[in-house]
Amino acid sequence: MAQLIKDGALCENSWVRVTPEDAEGIPANGDIIVSLSCWLEQKEALKNHNGKVAVCLKPGQEPAELAGDLADLPMIAIDFPVFADGRGYSYARELRTRYGYQGEIRAVGDVLQDQLFYMWRCGFNAFDIRADKDASEALKGLNDFTVTYQADARDPRPIYRRQPE
Amino acid sequence: MYVYQDYDQRLLDERVAQFRDQTQRYLDGKLAEEEYRPLRLQNGLYVQRYAPMLRVAVPYGMMASAQLRMLAHICRTWDKGYCHVSTRQNIQFNWPELQDVPDILEALASVQMHAIQTSGNCIRNTTTDEFAGVNAKEIDDPRPWCELIRQWSTFNPEFAYLPRKFKIAVNAVPDEDPALIGVHDIGVQIVENGQDETGFQIWAGGGLGRTPMTGEVIGEFIEPKYLLAYLEAVLRVYNKYGIRDNKYKARIKIIVKAMGRDKFRELTEREFAELKDGPITLTEHEIERMRASFPAPAYSSLTDLPQALSQALSSDKAFSRWYHTNTRAHKQAGYRAVTLTLKKTGRVPGDITDEQLDVVADLADRYSFGEVRTTHQQNMVLADVRQDELFDLWQALESMGLATPNLKLLTDIVACPGGDYCSLANAKSIPIAEAIQHRFEDMDYLHDLGELDINISGCMNACGHHHIGHIGILGVDKKGREYYQITLGGRGDKVSRIGDKMGPSFESDEVADVVEKIVNLYVELRHDGELFIDTYERVGMEPFKERIYGPAN
Ligand code: SF4
């Protein structure tokens, strides 16, 4: 069953998350998501990896750490160890607005229906829904509201710039 | 008052539907307790000692009479016939059933009310001076700015999961702090820069709770159009760097202190530099639209002290006392602002019944342009009453128990719900308030004592603002028993200041005695015209300590 929501629809996940604890190390092929430290240490080697490479930021690891690498990264994952830790929202917004990052921003970890709308507005376009939840149900969370007051990733205008003057 | 546009209403309706679905999923077991908890909190729903508590937002304390009638209806239909005005100017219901809450929210939404972000680790209701718009001393009406902040903070996607709750207050009165901005996470002081331009001085890092402190100025003069850009910058810094692994250190005040004001300011300035002049910049049109949302009511042109008033003042002593205590000057000639004290002895401070709510709504329609305000001292205000109608209003209020002439006096006690309702409490607040009120029943004596704030909180969370009471009373737990710690010299009037701890705590039946002794000593020591707080500031803690605990050896 697909757990990934991307650009508003369920889809298959081709990416494998590689954690530093993985005994086998980095697989030879395939699309991989590596930790920030792994990326910073092995950046050059990873650029020759046979498959795409993304980096996962944990809370406390800011986008600034990747500022020079964004062109090399088709995807940045932002980890939510617990959904109530909201640092990732600011990271996504920063990636989109300060750094103009155009690639995929994927929420991973404790990713649940009731936070999707906020995440999406902050610039996430992919959500790896927590394994025990039904992703097709979670998908509904993207449509909780049709009205927003603030600027967001889809519309850079707050409501007072959307009204006809 | 701000009147909802179609989209404001649609947002509320969508919120009701969302919360109904979330609650249903929780009841169906699809949403775990720990997943539902932050969701219900962000909708003002606590699970309390006996029942859930629902906190309804009253944005910057303003309500229309139709909204009051809806609160009365909710009291009757889903609660036990009363509700409670909180120190954040919100309204709390103590006895709703969880499964009824979606229906209550739907009823609220029908009169443009809600419970959005009244709890949880998000931006809470923005508060201001309850006399906003009628206070002759204010340099601008703070309410349009409060409404702008309300909209910016409502479901702001970036700041829904902050390290901790976040409270903003706006003050437009120079040299006074009626909105307590000094003890808010962010305080917005409207200032003039000497060139006839108004702007905002921004304070950050104040707060009560476990580590009470007053904030520091981090922005000297922010131009009006940048208000939201600056707030967003502060919030982003807080969201990224606030402490998340210890909830007692999670408020913004801790990180402002830890990194130092200058560092905090530097980080904020960096974010601000990027946001400034971006789309978040307020348009002239929007600022004007907000100002136009708070027009002056259709005042008649009148003069002060009309004959009807002066006659009533000289012929009715009780009315005169109420007039001098519970009404205050108004910027429009011929009008007064009237405070309805919800502090009658024997009633829970801040509680109001459905019947009283309906009467207040009618009186608001009749005498005050249909608007009512709540105050952080847990009272209500009719802000625009004609002086020649004050006597009639007073009689109506008197018959409903809403005209106790004790505003700002010792028995106008601020108290959190405490151990009678709140599951976080160390101790009860309400019986302590009542015991003190009973001790001081002589109105002449109360008036002779003059202004004296007593604030009571049932625990460190300080919902009763005990740190800023002239006499503050805090419930503490000592080996499973309820004790009370006393502070003196706090204030939240001209300035905000945190009170000093007096010494070892007391048992519940001792508190009223101790307060009486403190007050007696004040009476002995006071100079002519000195209020309690003045005397305390002159003589300091020592004489009080000695009177209560005996001489130090
Ligand atoms: S101060 Fe404590 S006891 Fe009182 S309402 Fe707040 S949390 Fe509850």
Side-chain angles (χ1 to χ4, degrees):
Chain A
M1 200 180 59
Q3 285 305 107
L4 184 68
I5 295 171
K6 191 175 160 187
D7 297 325
L10 289 173
C11 71
E12 287 306 321
N13 184 6
S14 68
W15 295 79
V16 180
R17 205 167 151 190
V18 184
T19 58
E21 298 80 47
D22 276 346
E24 292 99 70
I26 294 168
N29 303 302
D31 300 340
I32 54 171
I33 305 174
V34 302
S35 66
L36 177 67
S37 57
C38 174
W39 170 257
L40 294 177
E41 281 158 25
Q42 306 178 45
K43 200 187 296 190
E44 293 314 315
L46 284 167
K47 282 179 186 165
N48 296 319
H49 173 74
N50 185 20
K52 289 183 275 187
V53 180
V55 176
C56 180
L57 295 176
K58 290 184 169 301
Q61 300 175 334
E62 292 190 52
E65 309 244 26
L66 294 173
D69 300 331
L70 294 174
D72 296 319
L73 295 168
M75 186 235 283
I76 293 171
I78 295 178
D79 185 28
F80 290 83
V82 287
F83 74 87
D85 186 331
R87 282 175 277 189
Y89 293 88
S90 285
Y91 297 165
R93 253 190 95 81
E94 244 177 71
L95 280 169
R96 293 289 187 222
T97 53
R98 175 174 297 166
Y99 299 105
Y101 182 66
Q102 306 274 329
E104 177 177 334
I105 302 181
R106 178 179 294 192
V108 300
D110 196 13
V111 180
L112 307 171
Q113 170 176 349
D114 295 290
Q115 287 76 44
L116 289 200
F117 189 74
Y118 288 145
M119 288 180 171
W120 188 43
R121 292 189 62 203
C122 285
F124 289 92
N125 65 322
F127 311 91
D128 193 358
I129 302 298
R130 202 176 76 193
D132 62 321
K133 297 283 180 181
D134 181 341
S136 62
E137 286 284 318
L139 189 53
K140 294 180 194 155
L142 287 176
N143 299 313
D144 279 351
F145 294 98
T146 62
V147 179
T148 56
Y149 285 129
Q150 310 81 4
D152 62 26
R154 282 163 305 146
D155 192 335
R157 301 167 306 168
I159 194 150
Y160 43 88
R161 289 182 184 273
R162 280 177 249 153
Q163 305 297 315
E165 294 274 315
Chain B
M1 240 172 107
Y2 180 75
V3 176
Y4 272 26
Q5 305 290 309
D6 290 348
Y7 55 80
D8 297 298
Q9 185 66 51
R10 190 148 31 98
L11 186 70
L12 270 203
D13 296 343
E14 289 173 356
R15 169 52 153 195
V16 174
Q18 182 197 40
F19 191 72
R20 193 181 286 285
D21 175 59
Q22 289 169 340
T23 303
Q24 195 55 51
R25 279 187 280 133
Y26 168 69
L27 293 172
D28 292 346
K30 290 191 202 159
L31 208 51
E33 173 63 38
E34 68 276 11
E35 291 161 7
Y36 180 62
R37 188 171 174 274
L39 306 179
R40 67 166 162 76
L41 284 177
Q42 301 226 350
N43 217 354
L45 188 59
Y46 286 78
V47 173
Q48 290 291 39
R49 203 153 271 212
Y50 303 108
M53 183 270 279
L54 178 67
R55 183 181 294 147
V56 174
V58 182
Y60 35 90
M62 296 282 299
M63 275 191 285
S65 54
Q67 295 178 321
L68 247 70
R69 291 192 184 95
M70 180 53 78
L71 296 177
H73 170 72
I74 292 169
C75 286
R76 277 188 294 270
T77 313
W78 290 289
D79 208 294
K80 295 190 177 178
Y82 62 95
C83 60
H84 177 78
V85 178
S86 82
T87 54
R88 270 207 90 59
Q89 299 175 277
N90 288 325
I91 295 286
Q92 297 181 172
F93 291 99
N94 289 308
W95 305 99
E97 296 288 343
L98 177 67
Q99 60 271 22
D100 291 335
V101 171
D103 291 337
I104 298 175
L105 294 177
E106 191 170 320
L108 287 167
S110 72
V111 292
Q112 311 187 338
M113 293 187 92
H114 58 79
I116 295 166
Q117 291 170 213
T118 53
S119 175
N121 296 335
C122 51
I123 304 172
R124 304 287 189 85
N125 185 29
T126 298
T127 52
T128 192
D129 181 9
E130 65 261 31
F131 299 109
V134 304
N135 189 335
K137 290 191 218 154
E138 75 188 7
I139 58 178
D140 193 9
D141 188 337
R143 294 170 300 172
W145 306 106
C146 290
E147 177 59 25
L148 283 164
I149 296 171
R150 184 190 76 79
Q151 296 194 11
W152 162 79
S153 60
T154 298
F155 301 138
N156 190 311
E158 190 177 343
F159 307 127
Y161 293 96
L162 295 170
R164 197 81 174 83
K165 60 187 168 185
F166 201 94
K167 300 176 177 179
I168 302 176
V170 183
N171 176 31
V173 186
D175 307 318
E176 283 177 39
D177 191 9
L180 309 176
I181 65 164
V183 290
H184 275 74
D185 294 283
I186 290 183
V188 176
Q189 174 76 40
I190 304 183
V191 290
E192 266 165 347
N193 67 353
Q195 281 138 45
D196 266 356
E197 291 162 339
T198 54
F200 304 105
Q201 185 185 59
I202 309 288
W203 294 58
L208 300 175
R210 184 164 297 247
T211 321
M213 57 182 86
T214 48
E216 302 188 71
V217 174
I218 58 161
E220 288 295 347
F221 188 85
I222 306 300
E223 281 179 61
K225 63 181 174 183
Y226 297 137
L227 175 64
L228 300 184
Y230 197 86
L231 295 180
E232 183 140 318
V234 176
L235 264 296
R236 185 165 298 159
V237 172
Y238 173 56
N239 191 41
K240 289 203 298 183
Y241 304 113
I243 294 165
R244 288 180 186 265
D245 53 7
N246 180 345
K247 80 172 199 175
Y248 299 120
K249 296 192 169 165
R251 297 285 291 271
I252 190 175
K253 59 194 175 187
I254 304 291
I255 79 153
V256 173
K257 271 278 174 302
M259 65 168 69
R261 180 183 70 159
D262 292 342
K263 175 76 181 160
F264 189 88
R265 194 207 302 245
E266 184 191 314
L267 291 171
T268 302
E269 288 292 333
R270 173 166 177 219
E271 298 290 345
F272 181 52
E274 280 182 25
L275 291 161
K276 204 176 163 195
D277 296 318
I280 194 171
T281 309
L282 288 163
T283 59
E284 266 311 304
H285 180 266
E286 179 68 351
I287 294 173
E288 282 317 308
R289 179 176 84 94
M290 282 305 170
R291 286 195 192 283
S293 298
F294 298 90
Y299 294 124
S300 304
S301 104
L302 303 168
T303 50
D304 278 329
L305 214 61
Q307 212 190 351
L309 174 61
S310 47
Q311 265 172 7
L313 285 173
S314 54
S315 63
D316 194 312
K317 205 168 151 243
F319 169 68
S320 169
R321 170 164 275 174
W322 172 82
Y323 171 86
H324 290 290
T325 312
N326 289 27
T327 78
R328 60 175 264 158
H330 196 289
K331 72 179 179 195
Q332 180 72 24
Y335 287 81
R336 297 283 284 186
V338 174
T339 300
L340 284 48
T341 41
L342 308 180
K343 305 295 173 64
K344 199 174 160 64
T345 299
R347 293 231 25 129
V348 175
D351 273 13
I352 183 163
T353 66
D354 60 327
E355 196 191 350
Q356 286 175 321
L357 284 164
D358 277 333
V359 170
V360 174
D362 291 346
L363 295 174
D365 283 340
R366 184 145 169 217
Y367 296 110
S368 196
F369 301 97
E371 285 180 357
V372 182
R373 301 158 184 224
T374 48
T375 81
H376 69 77
Q377 294 93 349
Q378 304 177 297
N379 293 314
M380 285 186 173
V381 165
L382 296 177
D384 301 286
V385 182
R386 283 174 68 131
Q387 292 176 8
D388 55 5
E389 295 181 337
L390 282 170
F391 187 75
D392 295 341
L393 172 63
W394 171 71
Q395 286 184 310
L397 291 174
E398 180 74 355
S399 69
M400 292 304 292
L402 294 169
T404 312
N406 63 351
L407 183 67
K408 294 189 178 169
L409 304 183
L410 187 150
T411 52
D412 183 12
I413 294 175
V414 172
C416 79
D420 290 290
Y421 296 97
C422 177
S423 52
L424 303 171
N426 288 325
K428 292 190 166 119
S429 313
I430 295 166
I432 300 294
E434 206 183 320
I436 297 169
Q437 284 174 329
H438 277 300
R439 197 62 70 93
F440 292 89
E441 270 180 323
D442 180 345
M443 264 301 161
D444 291 324
Y445 184 54
L446 278 179
H447 279 259
D448 173 60
L449 291 175
E451 292 183 13
L452 207 171
D453 293 342
I454 296 185
N455 291 57
I456 310 174
S457 304
C459 79
M460 268 305 194
N461 285 321
C463 303
H465 294 172
H466 64 278
H467 300 111
I468 56 169
H470 300 155
I471 299 176
I473 301 172
L474 163 68
V476 292
D477 177 279
K478 254 195 190 173
K479 302 201 183 95
R481 297 188 59 187
E482 300 191 352
Y483 273 74
Y484 296 86
Q485 197 172 71
I486 297 198
T487 52
L488 299 179
R491 62 194 296 176
D493 39 30
K494 295 247 181 305
V495 290
S496 292
R497 196 164 55 238
I498 309 297
D500 310 312
K501 276 191 200 126
M502 193 167 70
S505 50
F506 303 95
E507 292 202 62
S508 52
D509 57 2
E510 296 173 316
V511 176
D513 289 336
V514 172
V515 169
E516 195 172 7
K517 283 185 194 162
I518 291 169
V519 170
N520 287 344
L521 181 61
Y522 152 64
V523 171
E524 290 167 30
L525 295 177
R526 71 177 163 186
H527 291 170
D528 231 16
E530 253 184 2
L531 296 177
F532 175 84
I533 188 69
D534 304 327
T535 303
Y536 178 80
E537 288 178 357
R538 179 170 56 78
V539 306
M541 177 64 86
E542 276 320 305
F544 290 95
K545 225 174 171 161
E546 198 175 309
R547 175 64 58 96
I548 302 299
Y549 300 107
N553 346 315

